[in-house]
Amino acid sequence: MRKSIATVSVSGTLPEKLEAIAAAGFDGVEIFENDLLACPLSPEEVRSRAADLGLGIDLYQPFRDFEAVPADVLAGNLRRAERKFRVMERLGADLLLVCSNVSPDAIGDDELAAEQLRLLAGRAAEHGVRIAYEALAWGRHVNEYLHAWRVVRMADHPNLGTCLDSFHILSRGSDPIGIEAIPGEKIFFLQLADAPLLAMDVLQWSRHYRCFPGQGNFDLAGLTASVLRAGYAGPLSLEVFNDVFRQASAERTALDGMRSLIALEQSLDGVRHPAVPAGFAFAELADTGTLGGLLTALGFARTGAHASKPVELWSQGEARLLLNSRAQESHDGPALVAIGLDSPDPGGAVKHAGSLLSPVLPRERAPEDAPLDAIAAPDGTEIFFCDTAWLADFGQGAPVEGSVTRIDHVALTQPLHYFDEAALFYRGVLGLRPQESLELPDPYGLLRSKAMSSPDGAVRMVVNIAQVGAGHHPWQHIALACDDVVATARRLRAEHPDLLLPIPDNYYDDLEARYEVDPELRHLGVLYDRDGRGGEFLHLYTVTAGRVFFELVQRIGGYQGYGAGNAPIRLAVQHAGA
Amino acid sequence: MRKSIATVSVSGTLPEKLEAIAAAGFDGVEIFENDLLACPLSPEEVRSRAADLGLGIDLYQPFRDFEAVPADVLAGNLRRAERKFRVMERLGADLLLVCSNVSPDAIGDDELAAEQLRLLAGRAAEHGVRIAYEALAWGRHVNEYLHAWRVVRMADHPNLGTCLDSFHILSRGSDPIGIEAIPGEKIFFLQLADAPLLAMDVLQWSRHYRCFPGQGNFDLAGLTASVLRAGYAGPLSLEVFNDVFRQASAERTALDGMRSLIALEQSLDGVRHPAVPAGFAFAELADTGTLGGLLTALGFARTGAHASKPVELWSQGEARLLLNSRAQESHDGPALVAIGLDSPDPGGAVKHAGSLLSPVLPRERAPEDAPLDAIAAPDGTEIFFCDTAWLADFGQGAPVEGSVTRIDHVALTQPLHYFDEAALFYRGVLGLRPQESLELPDPYGLLRSKAMSSPDGAVRMVVNIAQVGAGHHPWQHIALACDDVVATARRLRAEHPDLLLPIPDNYYDDLEARYEVDPELRHLGVLYDRDGRGGEFLHLYTVTAGRVFFELVQRIGGYQGYGAGNAPIRLAVQHAGA
């Protein structure tokens, strides 16, 4: 399907926006009026700039507060419209978005609205322009998409149709199945935006928090399916107002928008996700010698070394960590650089990721090495899709049994501008499902956190962004599933007490006030959480080494969370020690 | 009055918070429980740390979801409370904040709530603890302050009183005059927070957007007056949850909180504001030779030079600009460094600013110079309070008449963390009144803008913060009142066309669609705005020189705004040329 995007969705001046949008592979744009008004190029120049870039101008928008007004206001509105039609002719745009009237002076009379829109459509026809009438969620009288359609049908003019905007429909909780009552040829345009569920004024929600399909909580695929079932054959067009996108790179935002539309199309086409990983194959850390001691203390052993690279394999149970002394550490020391995922079809997984515009990484490898297919996550972390062949490169070490059984989850701290992009990446490329989204206090700001999991829980990722001031530490961590955190903590407390993150006694005073827990937890520095269904969570943290620390976690009784309530305690202790 | 602040209001670890709070001169603190839980110091150590800093612990908070619960839940809640009483004994805190129950399991039965709170108060008494019961704005059943008082009166226990929180009262639109129905000795605590008026979920509003008294839209003085009239004699205590404060310097935030309480006290004491300035005396620019040509083109002339410093006076009508070749330019060139205000009482103005903790600046001056009293604004701009004596230092130049008559307003771009502080500064220290607050699109982000004005409009300041990505230009500007912008623009267009910021034709296509304006505006690059009451605004911008540009403005028919709708056009053109 044809793919478009409104210029307001990306940052920059209008020429910069057009270039970024074209580079991302879009077919067309909606010209947002303010972008044109602020542009020194004439409409003719914008038209030819767009044409040179291979972009059609699919829509000009918005035209506000037109319909259902007293006669004297109508005259001025028609005069205003005539001027806009002339601009559109110069621009080569033939579709104008008219938003439902929000003025307190608008009259609640559908017949009047229809009559005036019919008049407008007639004038538009003289300029070869068609009108797409849209119900804003905060329209004065018309704020439901079916109401807008009723008015359009009453007006009954070939140059008048409706524009559907997923945000305006879904933010009000309207059921999009009613779209199937609209003849496809009367749906003149479809604007797509997702959004997180937020309890706030819908206007503010719309103006600041929209995001691309798949990044929020709306069912865009369901809505789009209804639009297609109605017979719509126009473009899928993104229209996003987002405070973060406004500040981000236009190229990156446009590419992410394109990714979201490809993913949406794939889900509509019933493309099955080929790449849901079955577990973590490994996590790879840049390390020049710091981590061996910590891993040994945790019960890991060095079970292999790469045949041709300075990379060691450390194992315990099914948990495998690669220590790479050639990869780049952070300026503070060790850093997480790559994640290996057990994939039933590594080649298919990379191909799927490529179809979603993820950068596929070149592999420099010795001729005898196992092929490893890798892509880059939004923050640059390398993601490898593995079968078991890669292990052969590290020799045949004896298995190491201990209390750690496997990697439970990996937590990555993202730059602010990549948070929504990362959510879409882990969902679209890896097939993870969003779990909880949280905001946690940090001593110097807030940590926003989004957890995602494969359907069976075998792969869990936590994506964080730290909105903090001075003293920002973008920690990453690897959480290791452990079948007896208390016993392991006892051993660590006895043998390596300095490796455990010290948990304040005050935490335990509170914990013991809330739950009847074993007093030994306090002595050991083990943290505890309980969910509403009786599930329990025992966990402990190591001190940090560079950007990295480890967590041992034990899930009891179906606990699905991450002990998020304890994270502020951890952050405060880490900051105090940093 | 005693002044306190909740530890949650400032950033850092608990010891850092206590130090910053003590340094700002507070008498006491509310210990926010999460700050204690995350702290490695024992409650005894926190107590002695606070005592060493001269801080009392006035409140421990919050204790949640206690009252109006089934019997089995009550037993657990009492057990939880006993543990907290013990922590409070160790901490030396004797007042516990109990928030109204928000649990869906809470029972809507005031008698049950009162009975259980009476029981809690009895247990508290055994530990020397008193209970302050507060209605959260989102409490399940009790969410109005008078409802909380009704329950407290029913419970009738000497160790049970109510806590009043201005946010919870004013965010719901409740009238605080009802506070005067509560006997003062039953008001155990008063928490103060202001907030901007936002249309959003009250919980999110409370958790992220509270600010200090005088920084938002609530009438804190009116509420506090009612509390004092009721006979309350406890502390004024700030409790603010604010995403920006969380990331800012604790020292600076605490000082600003103290400033807000001093200003509140002054308004309660009927202290008259001594310093409302009568106009702009001058604006001073760091300049090493760039600006003279631009000012000459605008009709200014060099009318004097400082007797002992490398500072020139440029004048036109009552508009006076100082070009200081010794002051520090920005790395881009000229910068605004100081503002002189005509003050009826310069000494009193500085004394008043000092009482509000503004830094009073030392004056290095030659013995023969006129004394100039100055303070530093939050962004470092120097503010001088002047009578007319300072002019003598620059010699007696002939008056220069032209179309520019005076300085209309000055716009300063602030660092993000200083926005609320700046609002309080200009309101409290200079006596300006807040006008419109706006969010404007910038090609690379958003510009938040707050305009303030003296009651007669003689002094107007616009405080901006730019939330933008790459290419951030923290422009400042001086707007000059002009009695004929069109004529001046004609002259500039003819003589100095390169000094006018070029305004896109597309802007005029839209302007002419909306209003019947003189087509010459387009030719001249003059912008236009109209308000809802027939007031009109004509203005033009010069190109930027370093961080600075000039605007010529003409207000017609009582127009009070700043042409904010045209600012996005300006920003886009400035970015494109930067």
Side-chain angles (χ1 to χ4, degrees), chain A residues 11-13 16 33 36-43 79-80 83-84 87 90 199-201 208-209 243 246-247 439 441 443-446 467-470 504 506-507 509-510 512-516 568-569 572-573 576, chain B residues 11-13 16 33 36-43 79-80 83-84 87 90 199-201 208-209 243 246-247 439 441 443-446 467-470 504 506-507 509-510 512-516 568-569 572-573 576:
Chain A
S11 68
T13 60
E16 290 171 346
E33 181 165 76
L36 180 69
L37 301 194
C39 179
L41 300 182
S42 69
R79 181 177 161 281
R80 188 158 57 95
R83 300 289 188 125
K84 297 301 171 190
V87 169
R90 298 170 62 195
M200 66 191 306
D201 175 66
H208 299 283
Y209 296 98
D243 286 357
R246 280 182 187 279
Q247 300 173 43
E439 277 184 343
Y444 304 101
L446 284 174
Q467 294 180 296
V468 297
N506 300 324
Y507 166 78
D509 290 342
D510 178 64
E512 291 168 7
R514 291 185 291 131
Y515 304 117
E516 308 226 16
I569 305 291
V573 176
Chain B
S11 68
T13 60
E16 289 170 347
E33 182 165 77
L36 180 70
L37 301 193
C39 179
L41 300 182
S42 69
R79 179 178 162 282
R80 188 157 58 91
R83 300 288 187 126
K84 298 298 172 191
V87 169
R90 297 169 62 196
M200 67 191 305
D201 175 66
H208 299 283
Y209 296 97
D243 286 358
R246 281 183 185 279
Q247 300 173 42
E439 278 184 342
Y444 304 102
L446 284 174
Q467 294 180 296
V468 296
N506 300 323
Y507 165 78
D509 290 342
D510 178 64
E512 292 168 7
R514 290 185 292 131
Y515 304 116
E516 309 224 19
I569 305 291
V573 176

Side-chain angles (χ1 to χ4, degrees), chain B residues 312-357:
Chain B
E312 298 177 351
L313 171 63
W314 288 68
S315 305
Q316 184 176 183
E318 295 296 312
R320 286 174 290 270
L321 302 174
L322 302 183
L323 302 189
N324 185 334
S325 60
R326 205 174 60 191
Q328 202 177 355
E329 293 195 344
S330 71
H331 65 276
D332 301 314
L336 182 70
V337 295
I339 295 165
L341 298 171
D342 290 323
S343 174
D345 174 11
V350 165
K351 199 173 153 210
H352 174 68
S355 79
L356 287 170
L357 312 178

